[in-house]
Amino acid sequence: MLFKPTFWLKSVLNIDEKFLRENGVKALVLDLDNTLSMHGNPAAEEGVTEWLDEMKRLGVKMRIVSNNTHKRVEPLAEKLGLPFTANGAKPLTFGISKAMKAMESTKKDTLVVGDQIFTDVMGGNFKGVRTVLVEPFHLEKTWTFRLKRKLESLVFHRDYSKLEIK
């Protein structure tokens, strides 16, 4: 079960008030690249800013935990108005633990949200926190990402007929 997400959603934008309430979620550990923004893009994807505003209105605590560098994460995190942990070392739990401590959240009321099984899902599962696997906004074209997605398909079959789309 190390590679299996608790939830599989089309997008981070599918996390709404009903989903949070039904699952007792009060805090979100958010990946950055391909979850809130295209990898390397200095701007959030369409709809993310409004979604973050709604989460804030609902009182949801949020923190970005990215394996990317401080130089990459800081400018976008500031634009989004979110605290962050760069060099998060996922799937190790250091970054997730730091985020949970900063948000004063528990394993029971926190979700780790991201687009990659071998970092986001495994990191949350190692920590004992429920996970949400989201589809990336755009598929990467580099050979490393194509290889990573192929390897992910060996451990988690993405049956799109079962994808939760709200």
Side-chain angles (χ1 to χ4, degrees):
M1 300 315 272
L2 186 60
F3 303 115
K4 187 176 181 192
T6 312
F7 304 99
W8 179 34
L9 300 174
K10 174 70 176 158
S11 165
V12 68
L13 306 177
N14 294 116
I15 298 172
D16 60 14
E17 183 175 9
K18 181 181 178 206
F19 179 88
L20 296 170
R21 186 178 55 252
E22 287 176 352
N23 293 290
V25 177
K26 297 177 182 167
L28 299 172
V29 175
L30 299 165
D31 181 46
L32 182 64
D33 290 321
N34 294 325
T35 301
L36 300 177
S37 173
M38 177 66 178
H39 186 81
N41 190 339
E45 285 294 316
E46 186 176 333
V48 167
T49 302
E50 295 80 8
W51 176 80
L52 290 171
D53 288 343
E54 177 65 7
M55 294 297 105
K56 290 173 186 174
R57 185 190 70 75
L58 294 171
V60 177
K61 297 175 184 178
M62 297 177 285
R63 187 176 183 99
I64 294 170
V65 176
S66 174
N67 284 353
N68 220 316
T69 64
H70 191 273
K71 182 180 177 183
R72 159 67 180 136
V73 179
E74 182 181 37
L76 186 50
E78 284 184 1
K79 281 182 187 176
L80 298 175
L82 292 177
F84 69 93
T85 300
N87 301 306
K90 296 176 290 183
L92 301 177
T93 61
F94 304 116
I96 295 168
S97 296
K98 182 177 180 179
M100 290 175 65
K101 183 175 182 181
M103 294 187 294
E104 299 178 334
S105 66
T106 66
K107 292 178 183 179
K108 185 177 177 182
D109 65 14
T110 303
L111 289 178
V112 174
V113 182
D115 70 303
Q116 292 188 56
I117 292 170
F118 297 133
T119 55
D120 308 307
V121 172
M122 283 180 65
N125 287 342
F126 277 143
K127 181 69 180 167
V129 176
R130 292 173 296 166
T131 57
V132 177
L133 178 66
V134 296
E135 292 302 301
F137 281 105
H138 308 281
L139 288 176
E140 298 286 344
K141 301 205 184 321
T142 64
W143 71 270
T144 54
F145 269 94
R146 286 196 322 264
L147 176 61
K148 191 181 299 186
R149 298 296 179 193
K150 187 71 166 171
L151 291 172
E152 285 181 344
S153 71
L154 298 174
V155 298
F156 181 74
H157 177 66
R158 285 176 157 98
D159 180 352
Y160 289 97
S161 68
K162 295 181 182 174
L163 179 59
E164 293 181 48
I165 301 176
K166 296 180 180 189

